[in-house]
């Protein structure tokens, strides 16, 4: 499974990679650190011309250059990208962020736990759900 992690916090990137590496099903996790790069990756532009098409996007909302809500709006508004499931994985538990994300057609909204073990568990559950439970487009 190809996963695009859109995250600017190196610690969260490390923990997310660790959670995926420990899982029984191997995943390829690509990482970009800002919203502009996320859209370039998804559209295979510039340095991302040969990037794999992700089966799943894990999207933080608090990003430099372009925030996660903007990325979500553009991706879900693009007929070539809207089929890719997007899970918002962010520190915000604000109701307006939850409602806004679902209004922009996020497939799920998950608040990042601050506890390391719980964070790892949440990422593993996301992985398990999208690998073993749901059927993704093109798979």
């Amino acid at each position: 499974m190809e996963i695009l992690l859109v995250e600017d916090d190196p610690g969260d990137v490390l923990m997310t990679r660790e959670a995926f590496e420990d899982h029984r099903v191997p995943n390829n996790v690509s990482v970009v650190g800002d919203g502009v790069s996320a859209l370039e990756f998804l559209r295979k532009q510039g340095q991302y011309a040969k990037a794999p098409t992700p089966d799943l996007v894990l999207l933080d909302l608090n990003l430099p250059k372009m925030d996660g809500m903007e990325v979500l709006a553009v991706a879900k508004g693009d007929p070539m990208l809207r089929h890719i499931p997007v899970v918002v994985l962010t520190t915000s538990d604000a109701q307006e962020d939850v409602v806004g994300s679902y209004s922009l057609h996020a497939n799920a909204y998950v608040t990042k736990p601050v506890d390391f073990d719980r964070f790892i568990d949440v990422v593993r559950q996301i992985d398990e759900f999208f690998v073993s439970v749901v059927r993704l487009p093109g798979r």
Side-chain angles (χ1 to χ4, degrees), residues 1-123:
M1 184 154 129
E2 294 289 339
I3 298 169
L4 174 60
L5 174 61
V6 186
E7 174 61 66
D8 65 322
D9 182 311
D12 287 351
V13 170
L14 183 63
M15 286 191 298
T16 304
R17 281 188 182 278
E18 187 172 308
F20 281 121
E21 287 171 4
D22 288 344
H23 199 268
R24 62 180 171 77
V25 178
N27 297 298
N28 182 38
V29 180
S30 300
V31 179
V32 295
D34 64 76
V36 171
S37 295
L39 290 175
E40 289 174 351
F41 187 101
L42 290 169
R43 291 178 168 157
K44 299 179 185 289
Q45 296 172 331
Q47 67 177 335
Y48 304 108
K50 295 183 181 182
T53 300
D55 299 302
L56 175 66
V57 175
L58 300 179
L59 177 66
D60 188 18
L61 292 183
N62 305 309
L63 297 168
K65 297 186 183 179
M66 176 186 282
D67 71 30
M69 288 287 194
E70 292 174 286
V71 173
L72 185 58
V74 172
K76 291 300 184 175
D78 185 328
M80 300 300 292
L81 303 176
R82 70 171 53 127
H83 70 281
I84 301 171
V86 177
V87 173
V88 174
L89 182 61
T90 188
T91 56
S92 173
D93 62 358
Q95 187 62 24
E96 62 266 18
D97 287 340
V98 175
V99 171
S101 294
Y102 282 118
S103 295
L104 294 171
H105 307 287
N107 297 85
Y109 189 101
V110 179
T111 303
K112 292 179 192 173
V114 292
D115 174 75
F116 173 79
D117 291 329
R118 183 73 184 116
F119 183 93
I120 297 292
D121 188 47
V122 164
V123 172

Side-chain angles (χ1 to χ4, degrees), residues 116-135:
F116 173 79
D117 291 329
R118 183 73 184 116
F119 183 93
I120 297 292
D121 188 47
V122 164
V123 172
R124 286 184 184 147
Q125 288 177 30
I126 292 168
D127 187 33
E128 181 71 27
F129 180 73
F130 281 96
V131 168
S132 301
V133 178
V134 300
R135 183 167 177 201

